[in-house]
Amino acid sequence: MAVKIKPSDALFSKCVRERTDYTCERCHKQYDRSSTGLHNSHYHGRANRSTRWDKVNCFSICYSCHIFLGANPYEHTQFVKSLIGEGAHELLLERKNSTTLGKIFAKDDKAGLIAKHYRAELKALQQKRADGETGYIDFQGY
């Protein structure tokens, strides 16, 4: 069963890709903003609500790298650990396993709070780009 893409998902995905200036975090190829070749890759899948909108759980990955990492779990884990570190990786696993967080986020998503948050974050990221800021620009997670 496919996971439904909601407004919160679409806005969050744009934030993840904008923070890297539409550049693959693995092979470093840059993409045009209109391209569908750059994905928001979830380390722990979207079905897990406790990490679905977690910026530490998601990466800008091109289609080719996404396919490679999906087929190679060990390399995927090593890639994630190289970007976020061992400690953050352990904390992310704890959040993934939190049923309490999942319930809270499901409720907040239904109320539109997550979409509202990421709409504002995307606007702030785009303004920074318009003001000339380049490279990796972090955003506030929900």
Side-chain angles (χ1 to χ4, degrees), residues 4 6 10 28 33 42 46 49 54 65 68 71 76 81 87 89 91 96 104 114 117 131-132 135:
K4 182 180 178 185
K6 300 176 180 185
H28 309 291
R33 279 164 175 69
H42 291 74
R46 286 181 297 156
R49 287 192 183 106
D54 189 326
C65 290
F68 174 81
H76 196 183
K81 285 181 178 180
H89 184 263
L91 291 172
K96 175 208 170 254
I104 291 168
I114 295 175
H117 171 79
D131 291 344

Side-chain angles (χ1 to χ4, degrees), residues 7-22 25 40 53 55 58-60 114-126 129 136-141:
S8 53
D9 298 316
L11 291 162
F12 174 68
S13 177
K14 288 179 183 178
C15 285
V16 169
R17 289 177 286 141
E18 186 67 55
R19 80 175 165 188
T20 63
D21 201 14
Y22 284 77
E25 293 184 74
N40 170 29
W53 303 282
K55 68 179 189 166
C58 294
F59 307 92
S60 295
I114 295 175
K116 181 179 179 181
H117 171 79
Y118 285 118
R119 186 175 290 111
E121 289 301 309
L122 179 59
K123 185 177 179 181
L125 285 168
Q126 290 171 334
R129 293 277 180 225
Y136 188 95
I137 305 173
D138 207 358
F139 62 93
Q140 184 68 41

Side-chain angles (χ1 to χ4, degrees), residues 92-103:
L92 181 60
L93 183 58
E94 287 179 25
R95 286 195 302 278
K96 175 208 170 254
N97 293 326
S98 172
T99 55
T100 303
L101 275 178
K103 289 175 185 175

Side-chain angles (χ1 to χ4, degrees), residues 34-52:
S34 64
S35 172
T36 60
L38 189 67
H39 301 177
N40 170 29
S41 174
H42 291 74
Y43 179 57
H44 298 294
R46 286 181 297 156
N48 191 321
R49 287 192 183 106
S50 60
T51 54
R52 184 174 182 153

Side-chain angles (χ1 to χ4, degrees), residues 54-75:
D54 189 326
K55 68 179 189 166
V56 177
N57 184 51
C58 294
F59 307 92
S60 295
I61 303 292
C62 71
Y63 175 79
S64 297
C65 290
H66 204 175
I67 294 298
F68 174 81
L69 292 174
N72 297 281
Y74 177 79
E75 284 85 355

